[in-house]
Amino acid sequence: MDQEKENNVKHFLDLIQKSRKGKFKVYIGMSAGVGKTFRMLQEAHTLMKKGIDVKIGYIETHNRKETHELLEGLPIIPRRSIFYKGKQLEEMDVQAIINLRPEVVIVDELAHTNIEGSKNEKRWQDVLEILDAGINVISAVNIQHIESLNEDVKQITGVDVQERIPDNVLRLADEVVNIDLTSEDLIARLKDGKIYTEDKIATALSNFFKSDQILQLRELALKEVASQVVRKVENEVPKNIALRHEKLLACISSNDKTAKIVIRKAARLASYYNGIWYVLYVETPKESSDKIALDKQRHLINNFKLAVQLGAEVIKVENSKITDAILEVVKQKEITTVCIGKPHFNLFKVILSTNVFNRLLNRLSSSNIDLVILS
């Protein structure tokens, strides 16, 4: 009875805490120059006209004339000065924002990495701190900075984007707004000097701002916002309506590259289905800690960290029979979908492994569990 009372109190305190948190709005776009910052500043002016206490926590206009002009009349919270590697640099002053407690604060470049010595490593961590203080935040990010899309973006652009935000940060947003432009309009803006200075236009056109790349990034942005809408609808469906709650299990090996792909793609699926997901690594006797190579151990640890960052629960089990281990976890966690990487076998190995895969397929299909092979 005492435990039940304690649980009830904890649940009520959680509800109170949740209600105290600030609301979070994110503008998302397919690339730089689509107008995210411009739109945020327009919204700030609209809010001020309605009597809302709105302040600029951090904004980056990139010296774009139209955007910079919108700063006029908006109260700006001074940045914090940091001396780093012989230079005086500036960062957003999180504590000043919390002390001033505006109703709404504008925070640009959500994926930004803070200068070494800052309280938080990333700006998205600053934003979570501000939200926890009960302050509403409007922010912006480009689609290429979403962690689980890293491989997709790399394939499209050839660029390995280093500054990324975990998917669950975007999932925390109360509203996600896509700032959309056609590739023709975006390239026209670039040529008119509205995105970069004249000396950078030719390089941009031959690299990131290619029509086919823009179209693919645009598709990623549209899909991301659509999946956010689906999640919101599902979360607001009355609880008395029966829904199948998806639970995904991503099975990884010690192969670093394959595992990363499986983790990121499984994260996308879990995000799309608004489901709970797990990452399973089965340690066979030949990969025990005293036998596995140190570089593989390091890769495994990094992949476990990536999985946790993307919102998964990591499960590590020891078993000489991988299929048995997978089926046992499937039963324990009531998994609805199992995700595995595409097997890199030659024909002879596939033939030899047929019984193993058949057993896995038969057991899963008889339990109405989906098996997804990720390319």
Side-chain angles (χ1 to χ4, degrees):
M1 183 63 73
D2 289 341
Q3 185 63 45
E4 187 180 344
K5 285 180 180 178
E6 190 176 324
N7 290 338
N8 287 335
V9 170
K10 184 179 183 302
H11 176 65
F12 185 61
L13 287 173
D14 288 342
L15 289 174
I16 292 172
Q17 191 61 40
K18 189 176 180 182
S19 69
R20 285 177 180 168
K21 285 189 177 183
K23 296 297 181 184
F24 187 25
K25 182 174 184 176
V26 179
Y27 283 104
I28 195 167
M30 58 187 168
S31 77
V34 295
K36 302 180 301 299
T37 304
F38 188 86
R39 186 69 68 85
M40 283 196 298
L41 293 176
Q42 280 185 323
E43 184 166 354
H45 279 286
T46 302
L47 290 170
M48 277 189 68
K49 287 175 183 175
K50 293 184 177 181
I52 303 296
D53 176 18
V54 58
K55 288 182 171 57
I56 304 298
Y58 189 96
I59 209 77
E60 187 55 74
T61 65
H62 297 285
N63 295 316
R64 292 167 190 153
K65 186 175 180 292
E66 294 172 347
T67 306
H68 198 78
E69 286 173 353
L70 279 175
L71 280 173
E72 190 175 343
L74 294 174
I76 299 172
I77 297 173
R79 298 178 185 180
R80 188 168 59 94
S81 185
I82 299 175
F83 192 74
Y84 179 68
K85 290 187 176 180
K87 293 181 180 179
Q88 204 71 28
L89 303 173
E90 293 182 334
E91 281 289 9
M92 180 173 72
D93 196 332
V94 179
Q95 195 55 53
I97 293 169
I98 292 172
N99 291 344
L100 288 168
R101 298 194 65 81
E103 288 179 76
V104 179
V105 65
I106 307 295
V107 179
D108 208 352
E109 299 195 341
L110 188 60
H112 169 78
T113 301
N114 292 331
I115 299 166
E116 194 174 315
S118 300
K119 181 181 178 182
N120 297 313
E121 183 186 354
K122 299 284 187 177
R123 184 162 292 157
W124 61 263
Q125 294 170 321
D126 294 338
V127 166
L128 295 187
E129 196 173 324
I130 294 167
L131 289 168
D132 284 341
I135 299 166
N136 303 304
V137 177
I138 299 174
S139 191
V141 70
N142 285 329
I143 193 67
Q144 62 263 35
H145 296 292
I146 308 301
E147 178 65 64
S148 68
L149 291 174
N150 182 252
E151 292 295 331
D152 295 312
V153 171
K154 191 175 179 180
Q155 285 182 6
I156 294 168
T157 66
V159 177
D160 187 6
V161 178
Q162 296 301 310
E163 291 190 318
R164 305 191 290 269
I165 67 167
D167 289 48
N168 65 337
V169 173
L170 206 58
R171 216 167 294 156
L172 290 171
D174 299 280
E175 188 178 358
V176 178
V177 179
N178 183 39
I179 305 299
D180 190 35
L181 277 182
T182 64
S183 58
E184 292 82 4
D185 287 341
L186 184 61
I187 291 170
R189 280 179 57 80
L190 176 66
K191 289 179 177 178
D192 289 342
K194 293 181 178 179
I195 300 176
Y196 297 130
T197 52
E198 193 173 339
D199 59 310
K200 295 179 181 177
I201 293 174
T203 304
L205 283 169
S206 60
N207 291 312
F208 204 83
F209 285 78
K210 292 178 181 175
S211 183
D212 60 329
Q213 291 185 6
I214 293 169
L215 283 170
Q216 291 177 79
L217 292 171
R218 186 186 185 195
E219 183 183 10
L220 288 181
L222 290 168
K223 282 182 177 178
E224 178 59 39
V225 175
S227 68
Q228 292 285 338
V229 173
V230 169
R231 276 196 293 275
K232 190 171 183 182
V233 169
E234 287 186 351
N235 288 334
E236 291 177 3
V237 168
K239 301 301 180 187
N240 59 345
I241 296 177
L243 292 172
R244 167 170 156 152
H245 294 287
E246 296 292 339
K247 288 188 177 182
L248 288 80
L249 179 68
C251 305
I252 66 168
S253 67
S254 55
N255 182 311
D256 179 47
K257 189 174 181 181
T258 304
K260 271 190 170 65
I261 292 169
V262 170
I263 290 168
R264 287 194 170 111
K265 290 199 172 187
R268 297 302 301 166
L269 282 174
S271 176
Y272 179 77
Y273 287 117
N274 195 22
I276 298 168
W277 68 294
Y278 307 86
V279 167
L280 171 65
Y281 169 66
V282 182
E283 183 186 287
T284 58
K286 67 178 181 180
E287 289 193 335
S288 59
S289 56
D290 58 332
K291 292 180 181 177
I292 192 170
L294 285 174
D295 61 329
K296 283 193 173 182
Q297 282 191 38
R298 188 170 62 252
H299 291 324
L300 271 173
I301 291 168
N302 289 337
N303 286 332
F304 291 160
K305 285 180 180 177
L306 174 64
V308 170
Q309 191 181 55
L310 288 173
E313 179 185 326
V314 174
I315 302 170
K316 181 181 175 183
V317 297
E318 296 176 15
N319 200 317
S320 59
K321 296 179 179 178
I322 295 174
T323 304
D324 288 348
I326 293 171
L327 293 170
E328 189 176 329
V329 173
V330 164
K331 185 178 179 181
Q332 285 176 357
K333 299 294 184 181
E334 299 178 332
I335 299 298
T336 60
T337 303
V338 174
C339 303
I340 62 173
K342 183 179 179 181
H344 296 282
F345 296 146
N346 59 34
L347 185 59
F348 182 65
K349 285 187 177 180
V350 169
I351 293 168
L352 289 178
S353 305
T354 299
N355 289 334
V356 175
F357 275 101
N358 276 346
R359 184 162 171 255
L360 182 62
L361 285 167
N362 290 337
R363 289 285 296 275
L364 293 179
S365 60
S366 65
S367 306
N368 196 28
I369 295 168
D370 297 326
L371 177 65
V372 177
I373 299 177
L374 303 169
S375 61

